[in-house]
Amino acid sequence: MVPPAAIRNKWGVIIPSTNIMVEHDLAMLCPSGVTFHAGRAYISKPSMASDADAKALLDQMDASFDVALRDVLTLTPDRIVIAMSAEVMRRGVRGGAEFVDAVAQKAGLPVTTGPAAVIAALRRIGATRIAVLTPYQPESDRLTSQYMRECGFDVVHVEGLRRTSATDIAETTPGQVIAGLRALAAHRPDALVVVGTNLSAVKLAAEAEHWLGLPTVAMNAATVWHALRESGITDRRADAGFLLRDF
């Protein structure tokens, strides 16, 4: 018997142990009958005040990823969602795909990642020139831009918020996100992208589409959209941006 709460789909979601926004955003966006269950990749030193600290943070996630995956597999999910964007993008397109393929083989399940969801969203609307808002330090910004370019996009600007720790990302204010989105829009891209799963921007991105007049892809919204559609679930909603509303 499938538990009634998860009668349509249940996801095992791998997140950094410092992340609070993925669970918040998925709870807001998942339709009835779809549940998500987090496995936390342990981070003991959350500093990302420098490029070296940011790399060390990702290395910690690498070291604890398999345990988090092991834990969520015990609930027999229908899909794995990897909500660790920088961890995928730093490997590049080829390395990221190999990482995801290895997880899919180990789990025996389909896998959704934030970066893949964002790429699918941008291709769905035919965007080629993009501008990207991140919470990262310069080296992670460079790797993010490189990943997007390898996927065929012209990255006209990256605005890094330079958050100093993994926990500080979740404390980014709406004003800081709005200022970042305005800075991106000044470069006249086809679409705006917000990366970083602990940088919650679902509602602000949906609003920005109206006051900036540009499609705005918030990674967590794109992740839910991609996981739902790949699972054959076509529910739409009008309050979370163009993806979940129109596609």
Side-chain angles (χ1 to χ4, degrees):
M1 294 285 292
V2 176
I7 199 165
R8 302 170 77 188
N9 230 227
K10 53 182 173 177
W11 303 340
V13 183
I14 311 300
I15 62 176
S17 63
T18 51
N19 191 301
I20 65 170
M21 287 306 184
V22 166
E23 292 157 314
H24 169 274
D25 287 353
L26 267 61
M28 177 173 61
L29 297 173
C30 283
S32 178
V34 177
T35 63
F36 61 91
H37 313 276
R40 292 180 170 268
Y42 179 62
I43 294 172
S44 62
K45 298 177 181 178
S47 175
M48 44 184 276
S50 67
D51 287 334
D53 284 352
K55 181 181 182 302
L57 180 79
L58 296 176
D59 290 342
Q60 291 176 76
M61 287 192 283
D62 254 358
S64 56
F65 183 92
D66 284 348
V67 172
L69 178 63
R70 178 205 67 187
D71 291 350
V72 296
L73 288 176
T74 64
L75 61 93
T76 64
D78 299 300
R79 172 176 297 272
I80 297 298
V81 176
I82 302 175
M84 300 161 62
S85 52
E87 180 63 357
V88 174
M89 291 188 292
R90 72 161 170 167
R91 302 167 188 268
V93 171
R94 181 174 178 178
E98 290 173 348
F99 171 66
V100 171
D101 287 346
V103 173
Q105 289 181 16
K106 188 175 298 184
L109 295 169
V111 176
T112 290
T113 72
V118 168
I119 297 305
L122 293 170
R123 288 176 176 161
R124 185 69 178 80
I125 61 173
T128 57
R129 286 169 43 86
I130 64 171
V132 185
L133 180 66
T134 89
Y136 305 141
Q137 295 296 329
E139 177 61 10
S140 292
D141 282 352
R142 185 189 70 79
L143 293 171
T144 299
S145 180
Q146 179 176 299
Y147 181 91
M148 296 294 180
R149 289 191 170 103
E150 287 180 14
C151 289
F153 297 98
D154 178 12
V155 182
V156 298
H157 184 65
V158 177
E159 186 81 5
L161 296 177
R162 308 291 185 260
R163 306 305 291 169
T164 58
S165 80
T167 50
D168 285 350
I169 295 173
E171 297 171 7
T172 304
T173 67
Q176 288 170 316
V177 174
I178 290 168
L181 291 174
R182 290 192 184 280
L184 300 186
H187 293 266
R188 303 177 63 84
D190 299 330
L192 312 181
V193 177
V194 183
V195 304
T197 60
N198 209 21
L199 180 60
S200 183
V202 173
K203 293 295 187 181
L204 285 175
E207 294 166 6
E209 291 175 0
H210 299 290
W211 43 263
L212 292 176
L214 290 168
T216 305
V217 181
M219 179 168 278
N220 288 348
T223 300
V224 171
W225 167 78
H226 189 268
L228 289 174
R229 301 303 181 256
E230 289 293 301
S231 301
I233 298 171
T234 59
D235 297 46
R236 297 189 182 190
R237 56 186 298 155
D239 62 344
F242 76 95
L243 280 174
L244 287 161
R245 182 188 66 231
D246 300 333
F247 303 103

PDB file of all heavy atoms in Angstrom, residues 99-134:
ATOM      1  N   PHE A  99      28.356  12.287 -12.505  1.00  0.00           N
ATOM      2  CA  PHE A  99      27.978  12.229 -11.094  1.00  0.00           C
ATOM      3  C   PHE A  99      26.512  11.818 -10.937  1.00  0.00           C
ATOM      4  O   PHE A  99      26.168  10.915 -10.165  1.00  0.00           O
ATOM      5  CB  PHE A  99      28.228  13.599 -10.457  1.00  0.00           C
ATOM      6  CG  PHE A  99      27.688  13.764  -9.064  1.00  0.00           C
ATOM      7  CD1 PHE A  99      28.201  13.029  -8.013  1.00  0.00           C
ATOM      8  CD2 PHE A  99      26.678  14.674  -8.800  1.00  0.00           C
ATOM      9  CE1 PHE A  99      27.711  13.190  -6.713  1.00  0.00           C
ATOM     10  CE2 PHE A  99      26.184  14.849  -7.517  1.00  0.00           C
ATOM     11  CZ  PHE A  99      26.708  14.096  -6.472  1.00  0.00           C
ATOM     12  N   VAL A 100      25.634  12.452 -11.715  1.00  0.00           N
ATOM     13  CA  VAL A 100      24.211  12.143 -11.638  1.00  0.00           C
ATOM     14  C   VAL A 100      23.936  10.722 -12.115  1.00  0.00           C
ATOM     15  O   VAL A 100      23.129   9.992 -11.511  1.00  0.00           O
ATOM     16  CB  VAL A 100      23.399  13.171 -12.451  1.00  0.00           C
ATOM     17  CG1 VAL A 100      21.937  12.756 -12.564  1.00  0.00           C
ATOM     18  CG2 VAL A 100      23.504  14.552 -11.810  1.00  0.00           C
ATOM     19  N   ASP A 101      24.596  10.299 -13.187  1.00  0.00           N
ATOM     20  CA  ASP A 101      24.413   8.926 -13.678  1.00  0.00           C
ATOM     21  C   ASP A 101      24.820   7.901 -12.620  1.00  0.00           C
ATOM     22  O   ASP A 101      24.168   6.865 -12.451  1.00  0.00           O
ATOM     23  CB  ASP A 101      25.222   8.707 -14.952  1.00  0.00           C
ATOM     24  CG  ASP A 101      24.620   9.405 -16.163  1.00  0.00           C
ATOM     25  OD1 ASP A 101      23.450   9.831 -16.078  1.00  0.00           O
ATOM     26  OD2 ASP A 101      25.320   9.523 -17.191  1.00  0.00           O
ATOM     27  N   ALA A 102      25.908   8.189 -11.914  1.00  0.00           N
ATOM     28  CA  ALA A 102      26.368   7.273 -10.871  1.00  0.00           C
ATOM     29  C   ALA A 102      25.343   7.179  -9.743  1.00  0.00           C
ATOM     30  O   ALA A 102      25.085   6.094  -9.209  1.00  0.00           O
ATOM     31  CB  ALA A 102      27.719   7.731 -10.322  1.00  0.00           C
ATOM     32  N   VAL A 103      24.736   8.328  -9.379  1.00  0.00           N
ATOM     33  CA  VAL A 103      23.701   8.322  -8.343  1.00  0.00           C
ATOM     34  C   VAL A 103      22.480   7.531  -8.819  1.00  0.00           C
ATOM     35  O   VAL A 103      21.914   6.726  -8.073  1.00  0.00           O
ATOM     36  CB  VAL A 103      23.294   9.765  -7.977  1.00  0.00           C
ATOM     37  CG1 VAL A 103      22.096   9.762  -7.026  1.00  0.00           C
ATOM     38  CG2 VAL A 103      24.466  10.495  -7.337  1.00  0.00           C
ATOM     39  N   ALA A 104      22.081   7.740 -10.069  1.00  0.00           N
ATOM     40  CA  ALA A 104      20.920   7.034 -10.612  1.00  0.00           C
ATOM     41  C   ALA A 104      21.144   5.522 -10.619  1.00  0.00           C
ATOM     42  O   ALA A 104      20.241   4.742 -10.291  1.00  0.00           O
ATOM     43  CB  ALA A 104      20.616   7.534 -12.016  1.00  0.00           C
ATOM     44  N   GLN A 105      22.354   5.107 -10.977  1.00  0.00           N
ATOM     45  CA  GLN A 105      22.662   3.681 -10.998  1.00  0.00           C
ATOM     46  C   GLN A 105      22.671   3.109  -9.580  1.00  0.00           C
ATOM     47  O   GLN A 105      22.163   2.007  -9.332  1.00  0.00           O
ATOM     48  CB  GLN A 105      24.004   3.447 -11.686  1.00  0.00           C
ATOM     49  CG  GLN A 105      23.966   3.687 -13.182  1.00  0.00           C
ATOM     50  CD  GLN A 105      25.301   3.418 -13.852  1.00  0.00           C
ATOM     51  OE1 GLN A 105      26.179   2.779 -13.277  1.00  0.00           O
ATOM     52  NE2 GLN A 105      25.459   3.911 -15.069  1.00  0.00           N
ATOM     53  N   LYS A 106      23.249   3.851  -8.661  1.00  0.00           N
ATOM     54  CA  LYS A 106      23.325   3.384  -7.280  1.00  0.00           C
ATOM     55  C   LYS A 106      21.927   3.267  -6.668  1.00  0.00           C
ATOM     56  O   LYS A 106      21.623   2.315  -5.938  1.00  0.00           O
ATOM     57  CB  LYS A 106      24.188   4.343  -6.465  1.00  0.00           C
ATOM     58  CG  LYS A 106      24.501   3.866  -5.063  1.00  0.00           C
ATOM     59  CD  LYS A 106      25.459   4.842  -4.391  1.00  0.00           C
ATOM     60  CE  LYS A 106      26.785   4.943  -5.115  1.00  0.00           C
ATOM     61  NZ  LYS A 106      27.760   5.806  -4.420  1.00  0.00           N
ATOM     62  N   ALA A 107      21.072   4.255  -6.975  1.00  0.00           N
ATOM     63  CA  ALA A 107      19.735   4.288  -6.396  1.00  0.00           C
ATOM     64  C   ALA A 107      18.742   3.432  -7.169  1.00  0.00           C
ATOM     65  O   ALA A 107      17.731   2.999  -6.620  1.00  0.00           O
ATOM     66  CB  ALA A 107      19.232   5.726  -6.342  1.00  0.00           C
ATOM     67  N   GLY A 108      19.022   3.224  -8.453  1.00  0.00           N
ATOM     68  CA  GLY A 108      18.062   2.532  -9.296  1.00  0.00           C
ATOM     69  C   GLY A 108      16.815   3.360  -9.540  1.00  0.00           C
ATOM     70  O   GLY A 108      15.714   2.837  -9.722  1.00  0.00           O
ATOM     71  N   LEU A 109      17.005   4.702  -9.570  1.00  0.00           N
ATOM     72  CA  LEU A 109      15.879   5.628  -9.670  1.00  0.00           C
ATOM     73  C   LEU A 109      16.220   6.793 -10.598  1.00  0.00           C
ATOM     74  O   LEU A 109      17.402   7.121 -10.783  1.00  0.00           O
ATOM     75  CB  LEU A 109      15.548   6.198  -8.289  1.00  0.00           C
ATOM     76  CG  LEU A 109      15.040   5.233  -7.223  1.00  0.00           C
ATOM     77  CD1 LEU A 109      15.024   5.923  -5.862  1.00  0.00           C
ATOM     78  CD2 LEU A 109      13.652   4.728  -7.577  1.00  0.00           C
ATOM     79  N   PRO A 110      15.206   7.454 -11.153  1.00  0.00           N
ATOM     80  CA  PRO A 110      15.468   8.696 -11.886  1.00  0.00           C
ATOM     81  C   PRO A 110      15.937   9.782 -10.930  1.00  0.00           C
ATOM     82  O   PRO A 110      15.594   9.770  -9.742  1.00  0.00           O
ATOM     83  CB  PRO A 110      14.123   9.043 -12.515  1.00  0.00           C
ATOM     84  CG  PRO A 110      13.119   8.362 -11.648  1.00  0.00           C
ATOM     85  CD  PRO A 110      13.774   7.109 -11.137  1.00  0.00           C
ATOM     86  N   VAL A 111      16.730  10.719 -11.453  1.00  0.00           N
ATOM     87  CA  VAL A 111      17.321  11.775 -10.634  1.00  0.00           C
ATOM     88  C   VAL A 111      17.025  13.135 -11.250  1.00  0.00           C
ATOM     89  O   VAL A 111      17.181  13.319 -12.468  1.00  0.00           O
ATOM     90  CB  VAL A 111      18.845  11.590 -10.499  1.00  0.00           C
ATOM     91  CG1 VAL A 111      19.470  12.746  -9.725  1.00  0.00           C
ATOM     92  CG2 VAL A 111      19.170  10.261  -9.819  1.00  0.00           C
ATOM     93  N   THR A 112      16.621  14.070 -10.432  1.00  0.00           N
ATOM     94  CA  THR A 112      16.478  15.472 -10.824  1.00  0.00           C
ATOM     95  C   THR A 112      17.508  16.295 -10.072  1.00  0.00           C
ATOM     96  O   THR A 112      17.723  16.085  -8.879  1.00  0.00           O
ATOM     97  CB  THR A 112      15.065  15.999 -10.497  1.00  0.00           C
ATOM     98  OG1 THR A 112      14.120  15.401 -11.372  1.00  0.00           O
ATOM     99  CG2 THR A 112      14.986  17.520 -10.663  1.00  0.00           C
ATOM    100  N   THR A 113      18.152  17.227 -10.771  1.00  0.00           N
ATOM    101  CA  THR A 113      19.048  18.179 -10.105  1.00  0.00           C
ATOM    102  C   THR A 113      18.607  19.607 -10.430  1.00  0.00           C
ATOM    103  O   THR A 113      17.976  19.855 -11.466  1.00  0.00           O
ATOM    104  CB  THR A 113      20.510  18.015 -10.555  1.00  0.00           C
ATOM    105  OG1 THR A 113      20.661  18.508 -11.895  1.00  0.00           O
ATOM    106  CG2 THR A 113      20.956  16.562 -10.479  1.00  0.00           C
ATOM    107  N   GLY A 114      18.964  20.525  -9.552  1.00  0.00           N
ATOM    108  CA  GLY A 114      18.639  21.928  -9.784  1.00  0.00           C
ATOM    109  C   GLY A 114      19.220  22.461 -11.083  1.00  0.00           C
ATOM    110  O   GLY A 114      18.505  23.088 -11.873  1.00  0.00           O
ATOM    111  N   PRO A 115      20.527  22.253 -11.342  1.00  0.00           N
ATOM    112  CA  PRO A 115      21.090  22.756 -12.587  1.00  0.00           C
ATOM    113  C   PRO A 115      20.416  22.191 -13.837  1.00  0.00           C
ATOM    114  O   PRO A 115      20.119  22.931 -14.782  1.00  0.00           O
ATOM    115  CB  PRO A 115      22.557  22.330 -12.497  1.00  0.00           C
ATOM    116  CG  PRO A 115      22.835  22.308 -11.034  1.00  0.00           C
ATOM    117  CD  PRO A 115      21.570  21.775 -10.413  1.00  0.00           C
ATOM    118  N   ALA A 116      20.151  20.886 -13.861  1.00  0.00           N
ATOM    119  CA  ALA A 116      19.485  20.287 -15.020  1.00  0.00           C
ATOM    120  C   ALA A 116      18.085  20.865 -15.200  1.00  0.00           C
ATOM    121  O   ALA A 116      17.621  21.085 -16.332  1.00  0.00           O
ATOM    122  CB  ALA A 116      19.428  18.773 -14.874  1.00  0.00           C
ATOM    123  N   ALA A 117      17.393  21.115 -14.086  1.00  0.00           N
ATOM    124  CA  ALA A 117      16.054  21.687 -14.157  1.00  0.00           C
ATOM    125  C   ALA A 117      16.090  23.100 -14.730  1.00  0.00           C
ATOM    126  O   ALA A 117      15.244  23.473 -15.559  1.00  0.00           O
ATOM    127  CB  ALA A 117      15.419  21.697 -12.770  1.00  0.00           C
ATOM    128  N   VAL A 118      17.063  23.900 -14.301  1.00  0.00           N
ATOM    129  CA  VAL A 118      17.202  25.260 -14.822  1.00  0.00           C
ATOM    130  C   VAL A 118      17.501  25.237 -16.324  1.00  0.00           C
ATOM    131  O   VAL A 118      16.902  26.002 -17.096  1.00  0.00           O
ATOM    132  CB  VAL A 118      18.304  26.016 -14.057  1.00  0.00           C
ATOM    133  CG1 VAL A 118      18.675  27.314 -14.776  1.00  0.00           C
ATOM    134  CG2 VAL A 118      17.842  26.319 -12.637  1.00  0.00           C
ATOM    135  N   ILE A 119      18.393  24.369 -16.738  1.00  0.00           N
ATOM    136  CA  ILE A 119      18.727  24.268 -18.162  1.00  0.00           C
ATOM    137  C   ILE A 119      17.491  23.871 -18.963  1.00  0.00           C
ATOM    138  O   ILE A 119      17.209  24.446 -20.028  1.00  0.00           O
ATOM    139  CB  ILE A 119      19.864  23.251 -18.381  1.00  0.00           C
ATOM    140  CG1 ILE A 119      21.149  23.722 -17.690  1.00  0.00           C
ATOM    141  CG2 ILE A 119      20.107  23.017 -19.866  1.00  0.00           C
ATOM    142  CD1 ILE A 119      21.626  25.088 -18.075  1.00  0.00           C
ATOM    143  N   ALA A 120      16.732  22.905 -18.470  1.00  0.00           N
ATOM    144  CA  ALA A 120      15.512  22.475 -19.161  1.00  0.00           C
ATOM    145  C   ALA A 120      14.519  23.628 -19.263  1.00  0.00           C
ATOM    146  O   ALA A 120      13.852  23.804 -20.298  1.00  0.00           O
ATOM    147  CB  ALA A 120      14.888  21.294 -18.431  1.00  0.00           C
ATOM    148  N   ALA A 121      14.412  24.410 -18.205  1.00  0.00           N
ATOM    149  CA  ALA A 121      13.490  25.550 -18.211  1.00  0.00           C
ATOM    150  C   ALA A 121      13.905  26.591 -19.237  1.00  0.00           C
ATOM    151  O   ALA A 121      13.065  27.104 -19.997  1.00  0.00           O
ATOM    152  CB  ALA A 121      13.434  26.170 -16.821  1.00  0.00           C
ATOM    153  N   LEU A 122      15.187  26.921 -19.277  1.00  0.00           N
ATOM    154  CA  LEU A 122      15.672  27.925 -20.230  1.00  0.00           C
ATOM    155  C   LEU A 122      15.483  27.452 -21.664  1.00  0.00           C
ATOM    156  O   LEU A 122      15.104  28.237 -22.545  1.00  0.00           O
ATOM    157  CB  LEU A 122      17.149  28.225 -19.953  1.00  0.00           C
ATOM    158  CG  LEU A 122      17.441  28.935 -18.623  1.00  0.00           C
ATOM    159  CD1 LEU A 122      18.937  28.958 -18.355  1.00  0.00           C
ATOM    160  CD2 LEU A 122      16.878  30.355 -18.623  1.00  0.00           C
ATOM    161  N   ARG A 123      15.734  26.195 -21.908  1.00  0.00           N
ATOM    162  CA  ARG A 123      15.532  25.657 -23.260  1.00  0.00           C
ATOM    163  C   ARG A 123      14.052  25.626 -23.615  1.00  0.00           C
ATOM    164  O   ARG A 123      13.697  25.825 -24.782  1.00  0.00           O
ATOM    165  CB  ARG A 123      16.165  24.274 -23.354  1.00  0.00           C
ATOM    166  CG  ARG A 123      17.690  24.327 -23.356  1.00  0.00           C
ATOM    167  CD  ARG A 123      18.317  22.946 -23.344  1.00  0.00           C
ATOM    168  NE  ARG A 123      19.773  23.045 -23.453  1.00  0.00           N
ATOM    169  CZ  ARG A 123      20.625  22.081 -23.127  1.00  0.00           C
ATOM    170  NH1 ARG A 123      20.150  20.917 -22.667  1.00  0.00           N
ATOM    171  NH2 ARG A 123      21.924  22.254 -23.248  1.00  0.00           N
ATOM    172  N   ARG A 124      13.224  25.402 -22.634  1.00  0.00           N
ATOM    173  CA  ARG A 124      11.774  25.339 -22.893  1.00  0.00           C
ATOM    174  C   ARG A 124      11.255  26.660 -23.430  1.00  0.00           C
ATOM    175  O   ARG A 124      10.327  26.692 -24.259  1.00  0.00           O
ATOM    176  CB  ARG A 124      11.049  24.977 -21.591  1.00  0.00           C
ATOM    177  CG  ARG A 124       9.546  24.767 -21.751  1.00  0.00           C
ATOM    178  CD  ARG A 124       9.280  23.512 -22.550  1.00  0.00           C
ATOM    179  NE  ARG A 124       7.856  23.229 -22.691  1.00  0.00           N
ATOM    180  CZ  ARG A 124       7.043  23.830 -23.566  1.00  0.00           C
ATOM    181  NH1 ARG A 124       7.518  24.763 -24.376  1.00  0.00           N
ATOM    182  NH2 ARG A 124       5.762  23.508 -23.630  1.00  0.00           N
ATOM    183  N   ILE A 125      11.849  27.780 -22.986  1.00  0.00           N
ATOM    184  CA  ILE A 125      11.375  29.097 -23.449  1.00  0.00           C
ATOM    185  C   ILE A 125      12.270  29.684 -24.530  1.00  0.00           C
ATOM    186  O   ILE A 125      12.041  30.800 -24.987  1.00  0.00           O
ATOM    187  CB  ILE A 125      11.250  30.081 -22.272  1.00  0.00           C
ATOM    188  CG1 ILE A 125      12.605  30.318 -21.592  1.00  0.00           C
ATOM    189  CG2 ILE A 125      10.209  29.603 -21.281  1.00  0.00           C
ATOM    190  CD1 ILE A 125      12.576  31.414 -20.539  1.00  0.00           C
ATOM    191  N   GLY A 126      13.293  28.953 -24.940  1.00  0.00           N
ATOM    192  CA  GLY A 126      14.155  29.411 -26.018  1.00  0.00           C
ATOM    193  C   GLY A 126      15.100  30.533 -25.646  1.00  0.00           C
ATOM    194  O   GLY A 126      15.562  31.282 -26.515  1.00  0.00           O
ATOM    195  N   ALA A 127      15.421  30.665 -24.362  1.00  0.00           N
ATOM    196  CA  ALA A 127      16.356  31.712 -23.927  1.00  0.00           C
ATOM    197  C   ALA A 127      17.773  31.327 -24.320  1.00  0.00           C
ATOM    198  O   ALA A 127      18.169  30.166 -24.225  1.00  0.00           O
ATOM    199  CB  ALA A 127      16.270  31.905 -22.424  1.00  0.00           C
ATOM    200  N   THR A 128      18.549  32.291 -24.778  1.00  0.00           N
ATOM    201  CA  THR A 128      19.964  32.053 -25.092  1.00  0.00           C
ATOM    202  C   THR A 128      20.892  32.974 -24.311  1.00  0.00           C
ATOM    203  O   THR A 128      21.975  32.568 -23.915  1.00  0.00           O
ATOM    204  CB  THR A 128      20.228  32.237 -26.595  1.00  0.00           C
ATOM    205  OG1 THR A 128      19.827  33.560 -26.996  1.00  0.00           O
ATOM    206  CG2 THR A 128      19.458  31.209 -27.415  1.00  0.00           C
ATOM    207  N   ARG A 129      20.456  34.212 -24.054  1.00  0.00           N
ATOM    208  CA  ARG A 129      21.249  35.166 -23.274  1.00  0.00           C
ATOM    209  C   ARG A 129      20.687  35.201 -21.859  1.00  0.00           C
ATOM    210  O   ARG A 129      19.515  35.528 -21.666  1.00  0.00           O
ATOM    211  CB  ARG A 129      21.173  36.573 -23.882  1.00  0.00           C
ATOM    212  CG  ARG A 129      21.977  36.750 -25.150  1.00  0.00           C
ATOM    213  CD  ARG A 129      21.637  38.085 -25.835  1.00  0.00           C
ATOM    214  NE  ARG A 129      21.529  39.200 -24.909  1.00  0.00           N
ATOM    215  CZ  ARG A 129      22.546  39.943 -24.487  1.00  0.00           C
ATOM    216  NH1 ARG A 129      23.770  39.675 -24.912  1.00  0.00           N
ATOM    217  NH2 ARG A 129      22.358  40.958 -23.653  1.00  0.00           N
ATOM    218  N   ILE A 130      21.524  34.859 -20.879  1.00  0.00           N
ATOM    219  CA  ILE A 130      21.026  34.803 -19.506  1.00  0.00           C
ATOM    220  C   ILE A 130      21.921  35.607 -18.570  1.00  0.00           C
ATOM    221  O   ILE A 130      23.100  35.836 -18.856  1.00  0.00           O
ATOM    222  CB  ILE A 130      20.917  33.349 -19.000  1.00  0.00           C
ATOM    223  CG1 ILE A 130      22.303  32.679 -18.917  1.00  0.00           C
ATOM    224  CG2 ILE A 130      19.967  32.543 -19.883  1.00  0.00           C
ATOM    225  CD1 ILE A 130      22.276  31.318 -18.226  1.00  0.00           C
ATOM    226  N   ALA A 131      21.355  36.020 -17.465  1.00  0.00           N
ATOM    227  CA  ALA A 131      22.098  36.651 -16.375  1.00  0.00           C
ATOM    228  C   ALA A 131      21.761  35.887 -15.100  1.00  0.00           C
ATOM    229  O   ALA A 131      20.608  35.469 -14.909  1.00  0.00           O
ATOM    230  CB  ALA A 131      21.733  38.122 -16.244  1.00  0.00           C
ATOM    231  N   VAL A 132      22.751  35.708 -14.237  1.00  0.00           N
ATOM    232  CA  VAL A 132      22.623  34.759 -13.127  1.00  0.00           C
ATOM    233  C   VAL A 132      22.924  35.435 -11.790  1.00  0.00           C
ATOM    234  O   VAL A 132      23.954  36.098 -11.633  1.00  0.00           O
ATOM    235  CB  VAL A 132      23.572  33.557 -13.323  1.00  0.00           C
ATOM    236  CG1 VAL A 132      23.350  32.517 -12.228  1.00  0.00           C
ATOM    237  CG2 VAL A 132      23.389  32.926 -14.706  1.00  0.00           C
ATOM    238  N   LEU A 133      22.028  35.236 -10.825  1.00  0.00           N
ATOM    239  CA  LEU A 133      22.233  35.688  -9.444  1.00  0.00           C
ATOM    240  C   LEU A 133      22.644  34.493  -8.604  1.00  0.00           C
ATOM    241  O   LEU A 133      21.989  33.442  -8.634  1.00  0.00           O
ATOM    242  CB  LEU A 133      20.937  36.291  -8.896  1.00  0.00           C
ATOM    243  CG  LEU A 133      20.978  36.826  -7.462  1.00  0.00           C
ATOM    244  CD1 LEU A 133      21.909  38.024  -7.350  1.00  0.00           C
ATOM    245  CD2 LEU A 133      19.568  37.195  -6.985  1.00  0.00           C
ATOM    246  N   THR A 134      23.730  34.630  -7.845  1.00  0.00           N
ATOM    247  CA  THR A 134      24.221  33.544  -7.001  1.00  0.00           C
ATOM    248  C   THR A 134      24.492  34.065  -5.586  1.00  0.00           C
ATOM    249  O   THR A 134      24.693  35.268  -5.386  1.00  0.00           O
ATOM    250  CB  THR A 134      25.536  32.935  -7.533  1.00  0.00           C
ATOM    251  OG1 THR A 134      26.656  33.651  -6.988  1.00  0.00           O
ATOM    252  CG2 THR A 134      25.620  32.945  -9.055  1.00  0.00           C
TER     253      THR A 134
END
